[in-house]
Amino acid sequence: RATGARSVNEETQHAAEILHLALRVHDLALGREGGRRRRVARRLARSVGWLTGNHLTLRALELSRHSAPGVLEELLDALRAFGEAQALSRELVGAVPTEDDWLDHADAHTGALFAFCCRAGGHLGGAGSRELLALGRYGRHFGRLWHVAEDVSVLDHGEPALHLLARATAGRPGLPVVFTCEANPGAAALWRKLATAEADPADARVLADLLRMYGAPRSKEVMIQESWRARRAIRVLPDSTYRAAMERLAAEVARTGTRKKAVSD
């Protein structure tokens, strides 16, 4: 609607929702939060997770093939990016991530998901190349913002020890972890240990405290930057309540994440 479309194809909206579910299921298949990571249980969770995720992905493809020209191609690009993100995660299990690792993963993970949603909407609305580029940039920056916000929110209001165990097991490079390992060499050893079979929840709690001290403040600065970049990206779109809603969404995610007592979800 922000590009001037008068109606929205509901099937394509469903495809985006299903794609999000598929990405989430695949993430869970890499590492389940709170589990004991017994070998048999992990194999079962992984096989069922991948199967379910693949079914959801195929359904998203089925829904998208009848949409406006260009939507299916956008979806295939997103799926290709998801594969790159999963491959990077496997490489990073047991390794200390860098800021480049985080950026690559964020762009191929939530960045690719939101970029697909925004660009698919542009195709449905008959947007030109300039508008499609702007929508893709908005989605990419908003995806980075969301990627950081998930980790920061759990540190402030969730169960960070379980969250960190799951992230380490799955090889997901969280930005608070990156900044903390740069500032405190001891944090890197704790992070590597969490990815092993000898992972101790006590170590995860110690690391969570370090993340709040070193990683969260710098991560919140990145959230503000990415929120501003997302809002700036769509200034080429017509001035409307729909564009204003997109701008407000990016602003509120950053604002909520930087409050001391954020509203969960």
Side-chain angles (χ1 to χ4, degrees), residues 9-249:
N9 184 309
E10 292 185 0
E11 291 296 283
T12 305
Q13 293 184 75
H14 296 160
E17 293 291 340
I18 291 173
L19 191 62
H20 179 223
L21 288 174
L23 183 60
R24 178 62 175 159
V25 169
H26 281 143
D27 282 350
L28 290 173
L30 287 176
R32 297 178 65 85
E33 294 189 27
R36 294 292 183 182
R37 302 195 301 282
R38 295 186 181 94
R39 290 184 179 179
V40 174
R42 280 178 59 79
R43 287 175 182 171
L44 179 62
R46 184 174 290 112
S47 61
V48 172
W50 283 114
L51 181 62
T52 304
N54 289 340
H55 279 312
L56 290 169
T57 301
L58 288 172
R59 183 57 180 151
L61 285 165
E62 289 173 352
L63 292 173
S64 295
R65 65 180 178 177
H66 301 300
S67 301
V71 171
L72 184 58
E73 183 178 349
E74 298 288 353
L75 180 56
L76 292 175
D77 287 342
L79 291 174
R80 189 177 299 109
F82 292 168
E84 293 172 357
Q86 299 293 352
L88 177 59
S89 291
R90 287 192 291 270
E91 292 176 5
L92 290 175
V93 174
V96 178
T98 66
E99 193 167 353
D100 285 340
D101 291 331
W102 167 77
L103 186 61
D104 288 343
H105 189 272
D107 281 353
H109 195 266
T110 49
L113 174 65
F114 283 109
F116 161 72
C117 293
C118 293
R119 287 180 61 90
H123 284 291
L124 295 175
S129 57
R130 185 182 182 213
E131 289 77 14
L132 285 172
L133 179 61
L135 289 166
R137 288 176 56 208
Y138 173 91
R140 193 74 63 183
H141 289 299
F142 189 86
R144 294 176 186 174
L145 167 61
W146 192 274
H147 200 280
V148 184
E150 284 185 314
D151 291 327
V152 170
S153 177
V154 173
L155 283 174
D156 288 343
H157 312 287
E159 297 184 11
L162 292 177
H163 181 75
L164 289 173
L165 283 168
R167 289 293 195 249
T169 302
R172 173 160 167 166
L175 194 59
V177 174
V178 171
F179 289 149
T180 301
C181 290
E182 289 177 352
N184 188 309
L190 288 173
W191 175 254
R192 283 193 293 264
K193 189 176 179 182
L194 293 184
T196 68
E198 294 76 31
D200 187 344
D203 290 332
R205 289 191 287 271
V206 172
L207 182 59
D209 290 337
L210 293 174
L211 261 60
R212 292 190 190 98
M213 183 183 306
Y214 297 105
R218 287 185 62 188
S219 296
K220 291 176 180 180
E221 292 177 4
V222 172
M223 289 173 61
I224 294 172
Q225 294 169 0
E226 293 298 337
S227 172
W228 178 78
R229 289 167 180 161
R231 287 177 279 142
R232 183 182 63 173
I234 55 174
R235 289 178 183 172
V236 302
L237 301 182
D239 187 6
S240 68
T241 57
Y242 298 106
R243 192 190 80 178
M246 295 175 70
E247 293 172 345
R248 186 167 58 252
L249 179 62

